[in-house]
Amino acid sequence: MSTLLVVGLGLLGLALLTVGADQAIIGASRLATLLRVAPVIVGVVVIGLGTSTPEFVVSGTAAVRDNAGLALGNLVGSNILNVTLVLGVVAVVSPVMVRSSVPVREAPLMAAAVAVFGAFALVGLKFVAGLLLAVLSVGALVLLVRLSRVQDGDPLPDDVAAFVSAQRQRRWWVEAARTVVGLAATLGGAQLLVTNAVTLAHRWGVSDEVIGFTLVAFGTSLPELMTSVQAQRRGEGDLLVGNLLGSNIFNSLIGGAVVGLAAGRSTIAPFGFAVVTAMVAAGVLAWLLLWRGSRITRPEACVLLAAYACVLPLLISANP
């Protein structure tokens, strides 16, 4: 198979992954709304989980195919991308204002989840670690629901309602079908992306880890970027930040659990200290910026972009 065809199939997989995840997010969010799930739960849990679906699927697929470096590299790279490049790009265009208390309360949980995942990545993920991360995932979901309680006048419920609104009333089975088809496209896209990304890595003499950190991580973070751009265009900074923070929580705990459980009896090789430290530092930086002023200004966005620019050479040259 020619390199051009491999690239084309990889891009096709990326397109399926992005469009499928986007439709799955919209369908699941509208379905939850039709089932009278609280808007804040939809914003914090459903949309956050939806935008993280590509990471779960790609990393799980890679782990099953014994591409452990790509599996963990994708999660680590996505965690860094979300709170540096994605948040920075959106905030440079227009400062992100957080008026709801939910994202601010969510930020330390995000930092803790990334740190726990980082600790397991340092020593190597095993089946037992996957089980433990799965248990922590359930605990995090419960805690997120409790943290999502809002006071009267909190803007987050209205932000979510505006994001999931349709021009005309949809029936539940239509949104359920949209969700299922979107997930199927995500699964198919993940298979194409992983297979052809690994092929390219081997042909170009690049490690699976580097491909996972960069190209695959960027591809699986596109749903977060698309959701963030849509939210920022509507002035929904609370939904934007909550989505990115929630995505990192789910990437770290559920994504880590998927990789650990998929590893079975084998152990996913540990990652280098510098790479894991960069991931944890990016999460802590985003937390501190939000804690400081509940907003991301243009100068702070430039700091986030500079942080990603500094980390990228480290990721490319890293030897996990």
Side-chain angles (χ1 to χ4, degrees), residues 96 116 147 169 190 227 236 266:
V96 176
V116 169
L147 289 175
Q169 186 66 33
T227 301
E236 300 159 356
S266 59

Side-chain angles (χ1 to χ4, degrees), residues 125-157:
L125 273 173
K126 301 180 181 179
F127 184 82
V128 175
L131 285 176
L132 182 55
L133 286 171
V135 172
L136 291 176
S137 300
V138 175
L141 285 170
V142 173
L143 187 55
L144 280 172
V145 171
R146 299 192 62 167
L147 289 175
S148 65
R149 294 173 182 171
V150 298
Q151 303 294 327
D152 292 337
D154 192 294
L156 189 55

Side-chain angles (χ1 to χ4, degrees), residues 222-233:
L222 282 177
E224 283 91 345
L225 179 59
M226 293 172 63
T227 301
S228 298
V229 169
Q230 290 181 51
Q232 184 67 342
R233 286 179 61 189

Side-chain angles (χ1 to χ4, degrees), residues 5 8 28 39 45 51 102 110 118-119 178 195 233 237 239 241 244 281 294 306:
L5 180 58
V45 178
T51 54
V102 175
M110 179 275 297
R178 183 198 299 272
T195 301
R233 286 179 61 189
L239 179 60
V241 174
L244 293 176
S294 295

Side-chain angles (χ1 to χ4, degrees), residues 28 46 70 105 107 119 126 143 168 180 195 198 203 305:
V46 178
L70 190 150
R105 297 200 300 265
K126 301 180 181 179
L143 187 55
R168 59 188 179 90
V180 171
T195 301
V198 171
R203 288 189 182 182
L305 293 175

